[in-house]
Amino acid sequence: MSNNVEDLARANVRALTPYQSARRLGGNGDVWLNANEFPLPVPFELSQQTLNRYPECQPKLVISRYAAYAGVQPEQVLVSRGADEGIELLMRAFCEPGKDAILFCPPTYGMYSVSAETIGIEYRTVPALDNWQLNLPAIADQLDGVKVVYMCSPNNPTGNLIDQDDIRQLLAMTAGKALVVADEAYIEFCPQATLAGWLQEFPHLVILRTLSKAFALAGLRCGFTLANKPVIDLLLKVIAPYPLATPVADVAAQALSEQGIALMRQHAQQLNDNRAWLCEQLPQLSVVQQVFPSETNYILARFTDSPKVFKTLWDQGIILRDQNKNPGLAGCLRISIGTREECERLIAALQALSVEQA
Ligand SMILES: *Cc1c(COP(=O)(O)O)cnc(C)c1O
């Protein structure tokens, strides 16, 4: 008998490649444009001095403020350790390992497959069409045994919204069979596109939200699941007893105050303005082949020599996210929108490369 603990681990965990987060990939930059974070910290002060006590599982103030912000009822809101925990709770509550499957449409966010692999649930992929929209007939063909369909809109890393008529069709073909989970991590950059108003009509619709992007709180680890009460009640059965630390709930409640939301909206507007500026500048550079339209705080672009661009900028402390290995994204890098100064440094660095190439 081998004395190797590796052999004791579950087979799917031994085979697992963990999520390659921007933090894990490292780098020594001073211009971080690889994790879709807000570029500047927002200051908060802790007001709760009750760390001797366990926290509330679902802190009431956070829930009521998020419900008011999202335009839903408090009973339709679950708060968790980031939207990532919401992704996994849905699988744990709805998918039988070794029997049920989830489905998603690459290129898209990497955690759907990582969570499925970790729990031991089959995942099916139906590649997006060339315009990054849903391939509905192919999805219809693959739905057998699928319990959860994850659909990211606006999509990470492509930046586009999913067509709402297509989403209606997806909801029609999954009714009574599977949940449709709309990942709205970036919805604050295009708030008119939210599906929150559809919850009354669709009992199998679920929406994921986060404080990590426009709210500038990636380090807080706080996300939300919006759904009708029967779904929320099932998720409450499988969530940890104390998913949110007291300081997390404290800061989240402040971020969701009237002033907190107003500040977030200013920030989202600034980043949208910076994105518009980048979308004018990037196509003028000879190293840039194609710039995909974006509704988010990042831009996906295809470069003539993306490994060289990535490495050259990396060496200058400008860290981008390589998307080369993502299906359909050869030559693509994803650029998070930073401060105006960071955007200018990026363009200057790319200009230097373009001159060199010319
Ligand atoms: C960042 C991101 C998340 C994760 O959000 P957290 O709340 O930080 O866990 C979920 N989905 C998408 C598409 C994201 O880009």
Side-chain angles (χ1 to χ4, degrees), residues 19 35-36 80-87 108-112 152-156 183-186 208-213 217-218 221-224 298 334:
Y19 182 70
N36 298 344
S80 62
R81 178 174 31 78
D84 281 350
E85 187 177 26
I87 291 170
T108 190
Y109 185 51
M111 279 306 290
Y112 313 135
C152 189
S153 182
N155 187 41
N156 180 4
D183 188 337
E184 295 191 341
Y186 300 95
L208 296 173
R209 298 284 193 85
T210 180
L211 298 187
S212 296
K213 308 289 162 52
L217 289 169
R221 310 307 304 129
C222 186
F224 297 86
Y298 52 87
R334 191 193 67 192

Side-chain angles (χ1 to χ4, degrees), residues 32-149:
W32 291 97
L33 305 180
N34 66 343
N36 298 344
E37 297 151 332
F38 191 77
L40 299 169
V42 176
F44 289 97
E45 268 174 43
L46 296 182
S47 67
Q48 301 290 321
Q49 296 298 335
T50 56
L51 290 180
N52 58 316
R53 299 296 176 195
Y54 282 110
E56 284 178 274
C57 176
Q58 294 289 296
K60 278 182 213 61
L61 186 59
V62 175
I63 293 286
S64 64
R65 285 188 175 174
Y66 201 85
Y69 161 68
V72 301
Q73 296 303 312
E75 65 179 28
Q76 294 175 307
V77 180
L78 179 97
V79 59
S80 62
R81 178 174 31 78
D84 281 350
E85 187 177 26
I87 291 170
E88 185 172 313
L89 290 173
L90 286 158
M91 292 184 205
R92 283 175 42 208
F94 287 88
C95 299
E96 198 81 63
K99 179 166 167 269
D100 300 327
I102 65 153
L103 185 149
F104 56 88
C105 301
T108 190
Y109 185 51
M111 279 306 290
Y112 313 135
S113 62
V114 170
S115 284
E117 280 177 4
T118 306
I119 308 177
I121 297 166
E122 179 201 343
Y123 65 86
R124 285 194 208 142
T125 56
V126 175
L129 300 170
D130 287 344
N131 60 1
W132 312 130
Q133 293 298 322
L134 302 175
N135 185 344
L136 287 168
I139 292 174
D141 280 347
Q142 292 289 319
L143 275 183
D144 227 23
V146 168
K147 285 287 192 66
V148 186
V149 177

Side-chain angles (χ1 to χ4, degrees), residues 32 61 114 199 229 264 308 346:
W32 291 97
L61 186 59
V114 170
L199 285 176
K229 188 167 184 295
M264 176 280 287
K308 181 173 173 201
L346 170 82

Side-chain angles (χ1 to χ4, degrees), residues 215-238:
F215 279 93
L217 289 169
L220 190 65
R221 310 307 304 129
C222 186
F224 297 86
T225 302
L226 312 180
N228 286 295
K229 188 167 184 295
V231 175
I232 299 293
D233 285 345
L234 285 160
L235 298 179
L236 285 171
K237 285 186 165 185
V238 298

Side-chain angles (χ1 to χ4, degrees), residues 310-319:
F310 184 82
K311 172 79 168 59
T312 307
L313 268 59
W314 174 286
D315 291 342
Q316 295 175 28
I318 304 173
I319 314 296

